[in-house]
Amino acid sequence: MADDTLATHRSHPVPEIVDRLVRLWDYGRGRGVKVRGYWYNAVARLMAGRGRSFLDRVGDRNSCVATGNQINVEPTGDIFSCRMSGVRLGHIDDLEGMLHSSIYRHYVMRSFSPACEGCDIEGFCHGLCVGHLEGKYGDIYRTDDGYCEMFRGCTRKVLERL
């Protein structure tokens, strides 16, 4: 397993990272610039029920295409859950077969990890990039505790400001 933890996570405590991200979000918001990332997904999903005009203001509700709503088709016709995943789901010539395969269900239908059960933002976050989890742990259903702590902290602070 490669240690691909961000250098920022090694050199700064998570609460400091949360504060910096939220300050950047505040700065962008004050200037009409949408600052987004995986850390913002839960906020957008939580607020989605507030109506279309609010959705227009928050922008994309999920930055991950691999969590149940898209597939990546390469020019060769090979299909992956996303461009970051190394696992081939199938080929465009057998789309029907791929859609009924267990590998497709395992990758593309992942909405959250069982490890997310009981989290403050369960069902809204969708966790980290499945490509990252696949590369780091070999398991897209794992979680990465540092990121989880950061996502919860950012969500809490941004919601306080809305």
Side-chain angles (χ1 to χ4, degrees), residues 10-132:
R10 289 192 297 266
S11 61
H12 300 284
V14 172
E16 184 179 328
I17 296 168
V18 168
D19 287 341
R20 288 179 180 202
L21 279 170
V22 174
R23 279 197 315 267
L24 178 61
W25 178 83
D26 277 334
Y27 180 83
R29 185 174 179 222
R31 284 150 186 81
V33 176
K34 293 179 181 178
V35 177
R36 304 287 187 267
Y38 281 100
W39 62 272
Y40 189 80
N41 288 347
V43 172
R45 288 178 180 279
L46 281 161
M47 302 308 292
R50 292 189 112 178
R52 188 69 214 153
S53 63
F54 187 82
L55 285 177
D56 291 338
R57 292 196 309 268
V58 297
D60 294 336
R61 288 180 276 173
N62 185 9
S63 61
C64 179
V65 300
T67 53
N69 60 9
Q70 294 184 39
I71 56 174
N72 180 53
V73 181
E74 293 294 317
T76 61
D78 291 317
I79 300 173
F80 297 85
S81 66
C82 75
R83 62 184 175 84
M84 297 304 294
S85 175
V87 176
R88 182 180 172 275
L89 301 178
H91 193 272
I92 195 71
D93 290 338
D94 185 21
L95 187 58
E96 192 68 28
M98 188 219 52
L99 292 172
H100 290 93
S101 71
S102 60
I103 191 78
Y104 172 79
R105 284 191 305 277
H106 179 76
Y107 273 81
V108 181
M109 301 312 287
R110 176 196 180 272
S111 59
F112 64 93
S113 169
C116 299
E117 190 172 327
C119 176
D120 292 345
I121 54 177
E122 177 185 356
F124 294 98
C125 170
H126 282 229
L128 193 57
C129 168
V130 296
H132 166 83

